[in-house]
Amino acid sequence: DLLFFTNLGKAYSIKMYDIPVGKRATKGKSIMNFLSLSDSEKVTSILPLPKGNDKTSSLMLVTKNGVAKKMTSASFSDVRRSGIIAIKLDKGDNLVSALITKKGDTVIVATGDGQSIRFKESDIREMGRTAGGVRGIKLDKNDEVISVDVISKELGDKGFFLTMSANGLGKKTSLSEYKVQNRGGSGIKTAKITPKTG
């Protein structure tokens, strides 16, 4: 099963084999052929759902306003064709990312103003589908979450955090520079934003 999450906080599910295999140069088919999305709805994340009742992994959702929510993957085992509500959003908020996390992982959240926070996935308890979530990162006025990633327990601090700016500038920083904090703080500066970087 493939789960599609949209900016409006809804989840849709289709079978992987329903999507035709294309060649590298083929254009592909519009997502509208597979999902009944509304006009203002855009897909923000696609996740392959683990087969069977996988009790070791959870789904983590993070919104533009820094709200985070964790749910069991079993909550999405029977998603209707018309979609289900995955997270209750406040007015003006959008779902940015949905990720699969396992026990012991950490989550890193990055904002448009170049802030980021790293916290344990266990800082957020599992909630029901209709719950709204808790604060993952405290944002300054006019700032918003733009990306989220999971750092596996096995990787720990051995990897790197790659940031890309709107104008195409990339920067790689060792994960050891991102200490694990409690969720809900304002995090640390991860990139300097200038007119050059965008």
Side-chain angles (χ1 to χ4, degrees), residues 2-198:
L2 278 181
L3 281 180
F4 291 78
F5 290 87
T6 71
N7 57 331
L8 302 184
K10 282 185 83 175
Y12 298 83
S13 173
I14 58 174
K15 294 287 183 193
M16 178 78 89
Y17 53 68
D18 285 340
I19 300 175
V21 176
K23 300 243 182 335
R24 187 172 52 85
T26 53
K27 198 169 123 193
K29 276 197 159 75
S30 165
I31 196 75
M32 294 305 230
N33 292 330
F34 306 101
L35 308 175
S36 47
L37 302 177
S38 65
D39 291 345
S40 58
E41 216 169 354
K42 291 183 182 75
V43 172
T44 55
S45 296
I46 305 169
L47 295 177
L49 198 61
K51 257 200 155 96
N53 192 2
D54 181 8
K55 289 193 167 77
T56 63
S57 62
S58 306
L59 285 169
M60 177 83 71
L61 310 183
V62 183
T63 76
K64 183 178 88 170
N65 291 349
V67 173
K69 179 181 175 183
K70 191 167 79 172
M71 291 172 289
T72 61
S73 27
S75 326
F76 295 93
S77 55
D78 56 342
V79 178
R80 291 188 301 275
R81 195 87 184 161
S82 57
I84 57 168
I85 290 168
I87 183 170
K88 199 174 167 192
L89 295 169
D90 289 337
K91 200 177 173 192
D93 202 1
N94 280 323
L95 180 61
V96 170
S97 191
L99 305 142
I100 291 174
T101 63
K102 289 189 182 303
K103 277 189 174 65
D105 290 350
T106 55
V107 175
I108 195 159
V109 178
T111 79
D113 280 350
Q115 287 291 113
S116 73
I117 191 167
R118 181 181 178 188
F119 57 83
K120 292 177 184 164
E121 62 82 35
S122 57
D123 274 8
I124 298 173
R125 62 178 177 78
E126 285 182 344
M127 303 171 204
R129 275 209 320 250
T130 50
V134 294
R135 182 186 279 174
I137 184 170
K138 188 178 173 186
L139 297 169
D140 279 350
K141 206 178 167 198
N142 303 325
D143 196 7
E144 62 183 52
V145 171
I146 53 165
S147 189
V148 189
D149 213 342
V150 173
I151 301 159
S152 69
K153 184 172 132 183
E154 293 74 38
L155 186 64
D157 285 344
K158 294 193 287 283
F160 295 92
F161 188 43
L162 176 70
T163 52
M164 291 295 290
S165 74
N167 295 343
L169 277 82
K171 183 178 116 171
K172 194 169 87 169
T173 317
S174 168
L175 282 174
S176 59
E177 291 194 38
Y178 295 88
K179 68 178 193 299
V180 178
Q181 299 176 299
N182 290 333
R183 69 159 180 88
S186 49
I188 58 170
K189 197 83 181 153
T190 192
K192 197 175 176 187
I193 305 300
T194 66
K196 185 186 166 190
T197 63

